[in-house]
Amino acid sequence: MSNKFYITTPIYYPSNKLTLGNCYTTVVCDSLARFNRMLGKDVFYLTGTDEHGQKIEKKAAAENKTEMEYLNEIVADTKELWRTLDISYDKFIRTTDDYHVKAVQRIFKTLYDKGEIYKSTYKGLYCTPCESFWTEEQLINGNCPDCGRPVEPMEEEAYFFRLSKYQDAVTDLLQNTNFLRPRTRVNEMINNFIKPGLKDLCVSRTSVKWGVPVGFDTKHTVYVWIDALPNYLTALGFMQDNDRNFKKYWPADVHVVGKEIVRFHSIIWPAILMALGVELPKQVYGHGWLMFGNDKLSKSKETGKKEVIDPRILADRYGLDAVRLFLIKEIVFGQDGPYNQELFLTAFNTNLANEYGNLVSRTCGMAQKYLDGILHTAKNLTETDTNFKQEILAKRGEVISQMEDINPSGAMNTIFEMFSKCNKYIDDTAPWVVFKEGNLERINTILTTLSEAILITNTLLLPFLTDKPKTIYANWNLKTPTLISEYANFGFIKDNTQVTKGANLYARLDVAKELAELDALANA
Ligand code: MSP
């Protein structure tokens, strides 16, 4: 098993403040990055911003700012948001960074020298907000298939990448390997883009000023995808003096992207890499969208209620664990999932307050009440105890496999099944009855076994919820782990372990009251 793990988010358009929808990819990737670090891997987690193009030019002008003034503000806000959500990225790339600009120019020139890029004229239907050219067949009701807005005919001198040449190679890659997941996306790509035939791709513009100039023909700027996609390489030092990270981390283990940009990552990107002679990433994962009503929560569509779906407000009111829990656990990874306030608040109560927080305080409370807060190693285990231990360890293995398989929502659901098994174990063993019977050795065995199960499970939870779970080890006078292997098996609670109750982790929310307050906020 390889000991490095290179994971990327898409680079975000700073065309507005980021939304909860954008946070989705970043939070999910963060759980994968953290989990792999806790498996002992050398992780490189990349995120950043995609800063060129007409839209940025227009936005900045509308706000009477230079492009850089405009971008710096949004980037500062984005980085602040990632701090709020505890995103542990290793590098933040901006496509306006000097090293990226130079490397993109070298990549463009290399492709041109190899005959993979040539000059011609582009005629097409253009969607300005999406900065995409479309063919007649791709339009939906005559409008842009991505955003639904009108397109206009346009013609200009441009450079083209020989995408058509890679039709067979890309088909083979998609059909015969696990390069693109989930599998349903493969059929979408084959039917919508490959079967109609890949056309050469326009990769420069003369009409867009705010872009990377084509080094050998400065009338042109590099167009969107040859600027944006190579960020995954340039961030590692590709085609630069110091390419140590490129040698160490490439190929990417997974590019996680939203479904609307799967096409770019699973067709255009591998073709560019093949043309460059660079090894392909191991996997592209196309996730679904967080849906607000019938809409994708997007920056460019005003929802009218956007204050309350502002991740900053949610994190501020309910804590970052609440936001991370909802995004990772409640949306099945790979599928679309609904967001609304009630689902968010209910997920908080069910999972954080009841299933998990209450379990921890109840267990520590019983240790204090029945055993004066002193635990010893477990002795004379019954069948109920050993079955419970086996179930916890089996589920633990399942969580690790799910994360290795890039399934964070599945893994988090398994973790909460483990907590649910802990709660059931309390019901099955009924410590309060045992206490009445005066059997203190039995209570100790129950509470030690239970405590260890909670901490084994909690250790798996650390990459997902980064706020409260790391604090609970102190209740048992134990150390917060940095590796999953530190709490891999039962038996770590020693004789005379002092247990304290600790602070209440999550206060149960009054859903009706919160809904009313959030509504007031939205309409303020
Ligand atoms: N700049 C390009 C990506 C270039 S990558 C080389 C881009 N940027 S974006 O800001 O428009 O979108 C970035 C990511 O946010 C996409 O993966 C997109 O799917 C994701 N999301 C935006 N709204 C979303 C939801 N409502 N739900 C889940 N993810 C969504 O595309």
Side-chain angles (χ1 to χ4, degrees), residues 116-358:
E116 301 282 352
I117 282 181
Y118 63 94
K119 198 172 189 172
S120 180
T121 308
Y122 192 85
K123 299 187 190 74
L125 297 161
Y126 190 65
C127 172
T128 309
C130 295
E131 295 179 354
S132 294
F133 269 104
W134 301 100
T135 60
E136 200 75 55
E137 308 84 67
Q138 287 170 328
L139 303 182
I140 296 175
N141 302 325
N143 291 323
C144 169
D146 269 358
C147 74
R149 282 174 282 209
V151 293
E152 47 194 296
M154 217 147 96
E155 186 176 320
E156 63 177 30
E157 175 190 283
Y159 286 92
F160 285 80
F161 169 62
R162 292 190 195 282
L163 183 61
S164 58
K165 185 175 148 186
Y166 295 93
Q167 167 104 14
D168 292 345
V170 172
T171 309
D172 180 55
L173 177 71
L174 296 185
Q175 258 170 353
N176 303 323
T177 73
N178 269 331
F179 177 77
L180 175 60
R181 290 180 62 211
R183 198 70 204 171
T184 47
R185 306 256 176 248
V186 172
N187 301 333
E188 287 168 28
M189 291 303 118
I190 301 276
N191 294 332
N192 300 345
F193 302 107
I194 308 254
K195 278 205 182 132
L198 294 180
K199 297 194 182 62
D200 289 352
L201 184 76
C202 179
V203 291
S204 82
R205 280 281 176 280
T206 51
S207 52
V208 180
K209 295 282 155 295
W210 186 247
V212 176
V214 172
F216 55 90
D217 189 351
T218 49
K219 198 162 81 211
H220 291 257
T221 53
V222 176
Y223 178 63
V224 181
W225 296 100
I226 294 240
D227 172 8
L229 289 163
N231 90 85
Y232 304 129
L233 296 174
T234 65
L236 299 180
F238 179 72
M239 287 207 174
Q240 294 151 64
D241 290 341
N242 180 355
D243 64 356
R244 214 182 49 225
N245 278 340
F246 176 70
K247 293 200 174 99
K248 189 165 164 195
Y249 295 109
W250 192 260
D253 291 77
V254 61
H255 295 312
V256 181
V257 303
K259 62 180 183 182
E260 83 283 20
I261 54 175
V262 163
R263 169 184 159 218
F264 303 103
H265 285 81
S266 67
I267 297 176
I268 298 174
W269 183 223
I272 293 173
L273 290 167
M274 288 175 200
L276 282 170
V278 172
E279 200 178 339
L280 302 186
K282 291 186 198 157
Q283 201 170 107
V284 169
Y285 203 106
H287 66 68
W289 288 338
L290 200 56
M291 303 296 288
F292 190 72
N294 291 322
D295 242 356
K296 166 182 176 243
L297 292 177
S298 83
K299 301 186 291 296
S300 47
K301 280 181 207 151
E302 297 300 320
T303 59
K305 267 196 164 191
K306 73 175 197 263
E307 300 93 313
V308 189
I309 56 170
D310 185 333
R312 301 155 191 86
I313 295 179
L314 293 175
D316 188 49
R317 287 178 72 95
Y318 306 110
L320 78 109
D321 286 346
V323 178
R324 294 178 61 114
L325 171 95
F326 187 87
L327 294 179
I328 306 170
K329 178 171 178 287
E330 301 298 304
I331 313 287
V332 177
F333 195 55
Q335 297 177 20
D336 290 351
Y339 175 85
N340 66 51
Q341 242 64 261
E342 197 168 348
L343 287 173
F344 179 86
L345 298 168
T346 310
F348 179 99
N349 275 347
T350 313
N351 299 286
L352 297 185
N354 298 356
E355 201 79 76
Y356 170 57
N358 189 38

